[in-house]
Amino acid sequence: MKNGTTATKSTKKIGAVIGEYGAFIALIVLVVLLSAINADFRQPSNFTNLLRQATFNGLIAVGMTCVILSDGIDLSVGSIFALSAIICAKLIMVGVPAVLCVLIALVAGTLLGGVSGVLVTKGRLQPFIATLITMTAYRGLAMIFTNGKPISRLAESISSEGGSFFFKALGKGNLAFSSNTGISFPIPAFILILVFVLFYFILNRTTFGRRIYATGSNAKCAKLVGVNTDQVKIIVYCISGFLSSLAGLIMISRVNSAQPTLGDGFELDAIAAVALGGTSMSGGRGKIIGTVAGVLIIAVLNNGLNILGVTSYYQDVIKAVVILVAVLSDSKR
Amino acid sequence: MNIEMRGINKSFATNQVLKNAGFDLKDGEIHALMGENGAGKSTLMKILTGVYSKDSGTILVDGKEVHYKSPQEAEKAGIVFIYQELNVLFDLTVEQNLFMGKEITKGFGLCDRKAMCKKAQEIMDRMGVHIPVTAVMSDLSVGQQQMVEICKALMVDAKVLIMDEPTAALTQSETEILFQVIQSLREKGVSIVYISHRMEEIFELCDRITILRDGEYIGTRYIKDITMDDVVRMMIGREIGERYPKRDVEIGAEVLRVEGLTHQKLFRDVSFTVHAGEVLGVSGLMGAGRTEIMQAIFGNLPVVAGKIYIDGVEVKIHNPRQAIAAGIGFITEDRKTEGLLLEKSVEENIEIANLGKTSRKGIRSKSLRTKLVKEAIEEFHIKCFGPEHECNNLSGGNQQKVVLAKWIYTEPKILILDEPTRGVDIGAKKEIYSVINDLAARGVAVIMVSSELPEVLGMSDRIMVVHEGKVTGIINSADADQEKVMTLATGGCLA
């Protein structure tokens, strides 16, 4: 009898662990599987490369997690990604110092996100509609500003050497740990990890984090206990805008040009990563850790399938199947 | 239809919720089923109607043993359960709701709307209620929605109707109409199982009463042979003593003064005061504007005129945050949609109202939080597995205690309680009354809105009565009785 209860307890525990870290288990399985069948995949350099690729979706998905936790959705992330990149590139072309360009673009991205927040709270639009509007508008603005043409040779257009170095480092730089071993770590991936840690802290340890969860769980109730739910919502869209523009700036640094079509469809990968991580689409429930796993799963799939030479049409179908399986197994816990 | 349930046992996991429970129902009677929350009333009825399966026991319908495997099967046999949370499609019309899943068609899946409207109207007429069959459900009052549910039951020719707390959200006049409908159904031979916490209603309406306690059958009596005190004793298994505990508190200085508070439509020129240590009862019919007045004081509803003074100083309140800063706490009437983060734990619910107390410089503190929540659970006797217990799985009374706890730790000077004991069983009710008395003793000014007259009379120092958005009188409870309050509540004048 006693054995029976401990046995059920321990199986329950295992169940809870799978429920909690299901996305991580899936990630590990995926990595082990791909490492086993392909030698190129298991190279250390491939893993740093993989992290570098994960940066864009990773940054956007962190913002998306905050928005979704507050019971919203942000479709405008891809457009903000492009528009703030264009703003930065334009400023560089007219000779504004690079550091200032980046800062202005980040502020712009934050404000662009804030517009969605204001539409949702003060304009009482549903988040889906509000960000569909901003998504369309920002993409249009990006097209207008550039006449639909890319702005290239950015690094070369920066006059000061320091500015040029800063701009290049953002997307292409490495943190060298020790010059003789040659092990280095990409700066974008380092930024991503910093952002993950920062938002883990904000969501778990700060009162503001609690307010996001409460707003997403039951906004009416949260408002009545004194949470400024409108403010919370506006801030999460600002966060999403900020992180999207940060991702956009890293992108133009890396490719050394800015195109108005950048980031098209990025909102879908970000939402997929959040969903993979087990965050509830109706808000109030979810963890940043889950999003980390979700982002990595998508990055590993993209990277691994590329290395295996799977054509992109099949890649999409395989990605869809993985997301389906992950989400189904999550809801069964 | 005769129903006999004997020796019913039912466990959920390790928790035995029914132990040898029983029940019998005769043809054409109104039979009350009473017991505290968690006594097993709803579970017993859900077993009868096939929502749950029983572990053991027998169910005889007209002398034949039955095993309904689903509510649909029970419905076919003529037993219909109308749940407390109405099973209504709010965006559809009355007629569409009535015929959902059993549409009259012209063949090829084409709906015959004319025929359905006609039949729906017939049923409405038969019940003597006037609800347009083309109206959209969400435009109807809760009472009307309830009527539609009853119509739905009659459409399948129900012989037994089970109603769970049907009057919980009804106004006085809607309740009267419901009672008329129930009585006319009885005359047509329909048997009714009536689950309610409202003793007065049961004594007015029912023929017999069965009492359950902790999942066990306690007894069945004819209403005419029993008193309310007997029922309470059977329900809780001990003497409960005074229903409304006495309080001996010196009433202090004026804390809240409201002057000429006016809303665009819902209420006008509302003025009153509340003193430290005082309980001001607020009575009135549903829809009179009581809740709205309180929402306005709390800054959750904009007003066009009026002033609010706290401790003699005028305060501007435009949102709940300012109200809380001014020392007001507000317990809403709807704890499920406004009072609690239902899917969150006890701890999270208490924390969110007390973020200032459980954090340092915006960083949450585990030790402060754990200490506060532990204290709250002990002080308010919240029955839960621990701080992690999800509020969804608490009984109504314990949910309400969580709401009380989270507000009381904010240390308000003024606490507004809107229907604090709705859907709460007798034992928990009494605990809530004691909490209110403790608050008054600590010098808090308490405003208690309630639709239960005995409660208002038993708990208040003064009673403010609201009728159609106007205060029709403020009387000392020593001079008040049910008749006086009802006269004011219906717009009459006291002689």
Side-chain angles (χ1 to χ4, degrees):
Chain A
M1 189 64 210
K2 225 176 183 181
N3 275 334
T5 51
T6 49
T8 51
K9 247 187 197 166
S10 60
T11 48
K12 246 188 200 168
K13 247 188 190 164
I14 292 168
V17 167
I18 292 175
E20 189 104 340
Y21 302 107
F24 270 106
I25 294 168
L27 175 64
I28 292 165
V29 169
L30 218 55
V31 170
V32 169
L33 208 73
L34 284 166
S35 301
I37 55 180
N38 192 294
D40 290 337
F41 180 82
R42 56 178 180 257
Q43 296 302 318
S45 64
N46 185 46
F47 284 106
T48 53
N49 188 28
L50 192 152
L51 275 179
R52 201 197 289 271
Q53 289 165 349
T55 309
F56 310 111
N57 189 29
L59 291 173
I60 294 171
V62 169
M64 189 68 80
T65 306
C66 296
V67 174
I68 289 177
L69 279 176
S70 79
D71 195 17
I73 190 104
D74 190 354
L75 303 179
S76 72
V77 288
S79 297
I80 292 180
F81 183 92
L83 184 52
S84 48
I86 296 293
I87 290 171
C88 181
K90 277 265 169 189
L91 290 172
I92 286 175
M93 295 320 265
V94 298
V96 178
V99 178
L100 204 57
C101 295
V102 167
L103 284 178
I104 291 172
L106 287 175
V107 171
T110 311
L111 294 177
L112 292 171
V115 170
S116 304
V118 171
L119 289 179
V120 168
T121 53
K122 310 298 175 195
R124 306 213 173 158
L125 295 184
Q126 286 178 356
F128 191 94
I129 304 297
T131 58
L132 187 65
I133 291 168
T134 50
M135 168 173 105
T136 313
Y138 296 164
R139 180 67 67 192
L141 287 176
M143 290 294 182
I144 291 170
F145 288 164
T146 57
N147 258 329
K149 296 188 190 81
I151 305 171
S152 341
R153 297 175 57 80
L154 293 173
E156 292 81 348
S157 310
I158 299 169
S159 51
S160 86
E161 198 140 312
S164 178
F165 176 78
F166 166 76
F167 180 74
K168 278 195 268 188
L170 200 57
K172 291 188 212 155
N174 285 297
L175 292 177
F177 285 111
S178 132
S179 48
N180 48 17
T181 56
I183 294 175
S184 62
F185 198 75
I187 286 178
F190 180 71
I191 294 176
L192 178 65
I193 290 168
L194 269 186
V195 166
F196 277 147
V197 172
L198 176 68
F199 277 87
Y200 175 84
F201 181 78
I202 289 176
L203 287 176
N204 289 292
R205 295 290 170 79
T206 66
T207 55
F208 178 68
R210 280 293 93 181
R211 293 196 178 102
I212 294 179
Y213 280 98
T215 301
S217 178
N218 182 347
K220 265 191 195 168
C221 170
K223 199 176 165 202
L224 283 178
V225 293
V227 174
N228 191 342
T229 51
D230 282 1
Q231 189 191 53
V232 168
K233 285 182 186 166
I234 292 173
I235 292 177
V236 293
Y237 285 99
C238 285
I239 290 172
S240 178
F242 173 82
L243 292 173
S244 301
S245 65
L246 181 58
L249 297 178
I250 292 172
M251 175 65 98
I252 57 169
S253 157
R254 195 166 143 202
V255 297
N256 200 22
S257 82
Q259 293 183 30
T261 52
L262 280 176
D264 195 22
F266 276 23
E267 66 280 355
L268 297 179
D269 263 358
I271 295 168
V274 176
L276 271 172
T279 294
S280 157
M281 286 293 129
S282 53
R285 250 169 216 267
K287 292 194 172 95
I288 201 79
I289 280 288
T291 300
V292 172
V295 166
L296 292 177
I297 288 175
I298 289 177
V300 165
L301 276 177
N302 282 338
N303 175 287
L305 294 175
N306 263 333
I307 289 176
L308 290 178
V310 178
T311 58
S312 70
Y313 302 150
Y314 284 97
Q315 281 190 20
D316 281 347
V317 174
I318 293 170
K319 255 159 69 180
V321 170
V322 170
I323 294 170
L324 178 69
V325 169
V327 175
L328 281 182
S329 62
D330 188 51
S331 62
K332 265 192 199 132
R333 74 191 161 125
Chain B
M1 187 183 266
N2 277 302
I3 293 176
E4 210 179 323
M5 300 178 79
R6 287 286 162 261
I8 306 288
N9 288 298
K10 175 73 187 173
S11 298
F12 292 110
T14 57
N15 186 9
Q16 191 170 7
V17 290
L18 290 177
K19 293 166 219 157
N20 201 20
F23 177 72
D24 75 292
L25 184 69
K26 293 184 197 165
D27 237 351
E29 72 163 345
I30 305 177
H31 195 132
L33 192 55
M34 271 196 103
E36 294 194 274
N37 283 343
K41 298 160 297 191
S42 299
T43 311
L44 188 64
M45 289 302 111
K46 282 180 178 165
I47 285 173
L48 173 61
T49 51
V51 179
Y52 298 145
S53 60
K54 58 186 186 297
D55 296 343
S56 62
T58 49
I59 303 173
L60 302 174
V61 172
D62 288 336
K64 266 187 281 178
E65 185 160 4
V66 294
H67 305 274
Y68 301 129
K69 284 182 214 65
S70 70
Q72 288 73 32
E73 243 179 77
E75 212 174 285
K76 258 185 212 144
I79 304 174
V80 179
F81 196 152
I82 298 177
Y83 300 98
Q84 191 179 353
E85 275 84 24
L86 295 177
N87 207 354
V88 165
L89 302 162
F90 290 97
D91 295 327
L92 301 187
T93 65
V94 171
E95 163 254 327
Q96 284 168 330
N97 264 280
L98 287 174
F99 287 91
M100 183 51 59
K102 30 187 176 275
E103 293 87 353
I104 303 174
T105 62
K106 302 179 192 163
F108 305 112
L110 289 172
C111 289
D112 188 348
R113 289 204 47 199
K114 249 189 203 160
M116 287 193 279
C117 285
K118 191 160 163 263
K119 188 155 180 222
Q121 196 59 56
E122 274 171 30
I123 295 161
M124 292 283 172
D125 292 344
R126 202 164 73 199
M127 270 181 41
V129 292
H130 306 287
I131 301 169
V133 294
T134 51
V136 174
M137 280 307 247
S138 55
D139 293 339
L140 302 181
S141 72
V142 181
Q144 290 174 315
Q145 291 168 0
Q146 188 118 39
M147 293 299 167
V148 174
E149 284 276 278
I150 295 173
C151 290
K152 212 154 82 185
L154 295 181
M155 279 186 42
V156 298
D157 242 343
K159 295 183 193 76
V160 174
L161 211 52
I162 303 162
M163 298 190 196
D164 195 353
E165 296 273 1
T167 58
L170 298 195
T171 65
Q172 196 84 21
S173 56
E174 284 175 329
T175 302
E176 275 162 27
I177 295 173
L178 177 72
F179 283 9
Q180 281 165 17
V181 169
I182 291 176
Q183 274 154 352
S184 76
L185 288 175
R186 167 172 59 186
E187 276 152 32
K188 291 180 186 127
V190 177
S191 312
I192 284 138
V193 180
Y194 191 88
I195 302 176
S196 176
H197 284 305
R198 295 197 181 166
M199 201 81 86
E200 288 82 6
E201 283 179 1
I202 284 172
F203 277 76
E204 182 187 335
L205 186 69
C206 301
D207 303 308
R208 287 199 301 162
I209 179 168
T210 291
I211 287 150
L212 299 178
R213 185 204 314 149
D214 298 333
E216 282 179 85
Y217 173 81
I218 302 300
T220 301
R221 304 276 190 278
Y222 282 94
I223 288 287
K224 57 181 174 7
D225 301 338
I226 194 169
T227 67
M228 290 192 193
D229 284 343
D230 295 333
V231 173
V232 172
R233 207 171 302 124
M234 288 168 78
M235 275 169 62
I236 61 175
R238 60 188 150 83
E239 294 285 339
I240 192 158
E242 197 73 45
R243 247 176 106 185
Y244 303 103
K246 284 271 172 293
R247 138 181 104 242
D248 190 18
V249 177
E250 187 92 353
I251 290 177
E254 174 189 300
V255 179
L256 175 72
R257 167 184 288 273
V258 175
E259 273 180 8
L261 205 63
T262 302
H263 179 268
Q264 220 164 11
K265 286 200 294 260
L266 299 166
F267 54 84
R268 58 199 178 280
D269 202 20
V270 172
S271 301
F272 64 91
T273 60
V274 196
H275 294 249
E278 183 185 36
V279 177
L280 176 75
V282 181
S283 191
L285 302 179
M286 198 149 313
R290 298 166 304 172
T291 295
E292 290 77 9
I293 292 169
M294 298 307 143
Q295 293 266 6
I297 294 171
F298 196 62
N300 207 29
L301 190 72
V303 290
V304 292
K307 287 177 177 165
I308 295 170
Y309 299 87
I310 292 176
D311 292 331
V313 182
E314 187 178 350
V315 289
K316 295 273 178 225
I317 297 175
H318 300 296
N319 58 46
R321 270 171 300 126
Q322 291 170 340
I324 292 165
I328 307 177
F330 182 67
I331 293 176
T332 80
E333 65 178 328
D334 198 336
R335 72 175 159 264
K336 288 205 164 134
T337 64
E338 295 184 343
L340 281 172
L341 305 171
L342 262 189
E343 53 182 29
K344 297 283 174 192
S345 66
V346 173
E347 177 175 270
E348 282 167 287
N349 271 284
I350 292 173
E351 187 195 1
I352 193 69
N354 293 283
L355 281 173
K357 269 192 174 175
T358 56
S359 65
R360 295 187 187 94
K361 296 201 176 91
I363 311 290
R364 300 162 67 210
S365 154
K366 188 159 192 241
S367 58
L368 289 176
R369 176 169 79 243
T370 313
K371 189 166 157 271
L372 181 79
V373 173
K374 194 168 163 254
E375 205 180 298
I377 290 173
E378 280 168 14
E379 189 181 337
F380 290 88
H381 310 289
I382 299 166
K383 278 185 212 127
C384 57
F385 300 134
E388 300 298 323
H389 198 137
E390 206 175 286
C391 288
N392 236 334
N393 306 327
L394 293 174
S395 71
N398 281 301
Q399 286 179 348
Q400 191 69 325
K401 286 186 216 165
V402 174
V403 179
L404 275 169
K406 82 172 185 190
W407 276 112
I408 286 167
Y409 281 105
T410 66
E411 294 171 31
K413 280 189 273 193
I414 300 153
L415 187 63
I416 303 170
L417 302 115
D418 196 356
E419 302 285 0
T421 64
R422 175 182 289 174
V424 162
D425 65 56
I426 288 184
K429 258 185 187 175
K430 218 181 151 184
E431 284 184 81
I432 290 169
Y433 296 145
S434 314
V435 170
I436 293 175
N437 284 347
D438 287 348
L439 285 170
R442 273 193 247 163
V444 176
V446 179
I447 302 174
M448 185 184 77
V449 179
S450 173
S451 293
E452 280 189 52
L453 271 181
E455 175 176 284
V456 174
L457 289 164
M459 287 299 297
S460 317
D461 294 302
R462 287 184 302 147
I463 299 167
M464 173 167 94
V465 187
V466 183
H467 170 68
E468 289 183 352
K470 282 198 82 166
V471 175
T472 47
I474 299 178
I475 44 182
N476 281 323
S477 60
D479 311 327
D481 55 34
Q482 297 216 7
E483 203 177 321
K484 278 186 188 162
V485 174
M486 274 323 288
T487 309
L488 289 170
T490 48
C493 280
L494 292 184

